[in-house]
């Protein structure tokens, strides 16, 4: 038995007329009658009672008709799901992201992707850059938002977003009530709260480079692996911090932000993925590009 035999049978069962069913199937009526007879012979029971004027389903034929409809609906569903998967519109994506990216590019790109591909399930994990690289290598995430640079074989990356660095001060700091721009060299004696270099060397090096340009090496106090934690430590008067400008979107009482005239260097967030990406990953990248997220 082939699927076409079921399609022939369903057409006759719905029309209860071999001539109309043949027209609907774009075939001649005699071959259709022969196919139904062959199907009955293979099944071992009669599907239709035929007279010169009428065609009706037998009791067994009615049951077979109902089950055949379910089969063909399932086949059509399988075809549709296969097409959706081949276009990257179905499945699951596991996405990693550094905490600070949640304040700039991650929300709009995720929103655009969910609008375009609502059937793809997204599983999100807040991870450091190094954690994402490790999980990506072992296939535990599909795509990630990280702090570049990324120089690893088998891993692709594209810049998503660039922004300047700004200064975060406790609201009790003597410069907190000063003008919006603070010269970094005036903070050479301050204790800085830093992100560990081992977890995001690109960001760490940009911050230290900025201080060196201002004529001093920053005095390291506390370290924290999450930007929100750094901001909270600033609010607790544990020190000052240089952070990406988008951290201003993290509303935390006790902290004020100041622009830096020395902030000529930009820090970035990039998307990373493995070679030979799945259709869902390719679709995610397409949506990110179409939404203006990626800098090609």
């Amino acid at each position: 038995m082939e699927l076409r035999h079921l399609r022939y049978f369903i057409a006759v069962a719905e029309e209860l007329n071999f001539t109309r069913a043949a027209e609907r199937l774009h075939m001649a009526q005699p071959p259709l009658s022969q196919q139904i007879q062959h199907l009955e012979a293979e099944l071992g029971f009669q599907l239709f009672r035929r007279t010169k004027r009428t065609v009706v389903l037998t009791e067994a034929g009615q049951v077979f008709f109902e089950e055949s409809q379910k089969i063909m609906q399932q086949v059509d569903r399988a075809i549709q799901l296969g097409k959706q998967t081949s276009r990257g519109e179905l499945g699951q994506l596991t996405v990693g992201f550094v905490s600070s990216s949640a304040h700039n590019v991650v929300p709009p790109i995720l929103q655009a992707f969910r609008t375009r591909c609502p059937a793809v399930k997204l599983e999100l994990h807040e991870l450091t850059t190094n954690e994402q690289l490790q999980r990506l290598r072992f296939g535990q995430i599909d795509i990630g938002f990280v702090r570049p640079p990324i120089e690893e074989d088998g891993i692709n990356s594209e810049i998503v977003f660039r922004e300047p660095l700004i200064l975060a001060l406790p609201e009790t700091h003597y410069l907190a009530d000063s003008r919006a721009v603070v010269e970094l060299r005036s903070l050479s004696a301050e204790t800085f709260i830093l992100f560990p270099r081992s977890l995001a060397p690109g960001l760490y090096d940009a911050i230290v480079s900025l201080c060196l340009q201002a004529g001093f090496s920053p005095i390291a106090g506390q370290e924290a692996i999450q930007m929100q934690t750094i901001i909270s430590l600033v609010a607790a008067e544990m020190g000052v911090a240089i952070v990406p400008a988008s951290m201003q979107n993290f509303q935390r009482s006790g902290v004020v932000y100041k622009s830096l005239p020395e902030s000529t260097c930009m820090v970035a967030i990039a998307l990373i993925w493995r070679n030979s990406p799945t259709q869902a990953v390719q679709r995610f990248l397409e949506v990110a590009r179409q939404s203006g997220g990626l800098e090609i």
Side-chain angles (χ1 to χ4, degrees):
M1 186 190 306
E2 300 177 14
L3 285 177
R4 63 188 177 92
H5 296 137
L6 291 183
R7 295 189 189 279
Y8 296 160
F9 164 68
I10 289 172
V12 177
E14 289 178 342
E15 297 291 343
L16 293 178
N17 184 288
F18 277 84
T19 301
R20 288 198 301 270
E23 292 174 352
R24 170 174 154 184
L25 294 167
H26 305 291
M27 62 187 298
Q29 187 267 327
L32 176 60
S33 296
Q34 291 177 351
Q35 292 291 336
I36 295 299
Q37 290 172 358
H38 292 160
L39 179 60
E40 288 177 321
E42 182 176 353
L43 293 172
F45 57 84
Q46 190 176 2
L47 295 170
F48 298 99
R49 284 194 297 270
R50 308 167 181 80
T51 68
K52 290 184 178 179
R53 295 183 179 180
T54 63
V55 175
V56 296
L57 285 163
T58 64
E59 184 178 356
Q62 180 64 41
V63 173
F64 189 72
F65 172 52
E66 294 170 359
E67 295 303 314
S68 295
Q69 285 181 310
K70 295 177 184 177
I71 291 171
M72 296 312 299
Q73 289 170 359
Q74 189 63 36
V75 169
D76 291 340
R77 172 175 167 78
I79 293 171
Q80 180 62 30
L81 293 179
K83 288 181 178 179
Q84 286 182 289
T85 302
S86 72
R87 296 193 297 261
E89 298 172 356
L90 192 68
Q92 177 172 318
L93 274 180
T94 304
V95 182
F97 64 97
V98 293
S99 61
S100 55
S101 66
H103 300 287
N104 43 53
V105 295
V106 169
I109 290 179
L110 291 183
Q111 183 180 25
F113 183 77
R114 288 183 65 85
T115 299
R116 307 275 184 88
C117 305
V120 177
K121 180 182 176 182
L122 292 174
E123 182 178 316
L124 306 178
H125 295 274
E126 184 178 334
L127 302 163
T128 66
T129 294
N130 280 2
E131 288 172 335
Q132 289 186 60
L133 289 170
Q134 182 178 0
R135 294 198 185 193
L136 190 64
R137 284 193 295 268
F138 289 100
Q140 295 172 328
I141 64 171
D142 300 301
I143 199 162
F145 293 83
V146 301
R147 290 286 177 185
I150 303 299
E151 298 176 355
E152 290 204 23
D153 293 337
I155 294 182
N156 305 282
S157 67
E158 292 186 29
I159 297 297
V160 179
F161 181 74
R162 297 182 189 273
E163 61 182 330
L165 293 168
I166 61 171
L167 181 65
L169 297 172
E171 65 179 4
T172 56
H173 195 276
Y174 74 95
L175 291 175
D177 295 329
S178 64
R179 60 182 181 273
V181 178
V182 173
E183 292 187 359
L184 193 54
R185 63 175 178 266
S186 64
L187 299 169
S188 60
E190 298 282 348
T191 297
F192 281 77
I193 302 167
L194 298 171
F195 197 88
R197 188 182 190 281
S198 60
L199 299 181
L203 178 60
Y204 180 92
D205 291 348
I207 291 171
V208 172
S209 175
L210 201 60
C211 293
L212 293 175
Q213 290 176 33
F216 70 97
S217 179
I219 301 171
Q222 298 292 323
E223 284 191 343
I225 63 173
Q226 303 293 348
M227 281 294 168
Q228 293 93 325
T229 304
I230 290 176
I231 296 300
S232 295
L233 290 175
V234 171
E237 303 180 13
M238 299 295 293
V240 301
I242 297 173
V243 298
S246 58
M247 288 307 298
Q248 294 177 93
N249 297 327
F250 178 57
Q251 299 298 321
R252 180 65 167 86
S253 60
V255 177
V256 295
Y257 298 97
K258 302 289 182 179
S259 298
L260 296 168
E262 299 95 343
S263 190
T264 55
C265 68
M266 306 288 283
V267 292
I269 289 174
L271 271 176
I272 56 170
W273 68 97
R274 292 185 300 276
N275 288 341
S276 303
T278 65
Q279 289 294 330
V281 170
Q282 293 183 44
R283 187 63 171 163
F284 191 94
L285 294 170
E286 290 172 8
V287 170
R289 290 173 181 133
Q290 292 167 5
S291 65
L294 294 183
E295 298 180 5
I296 308 303

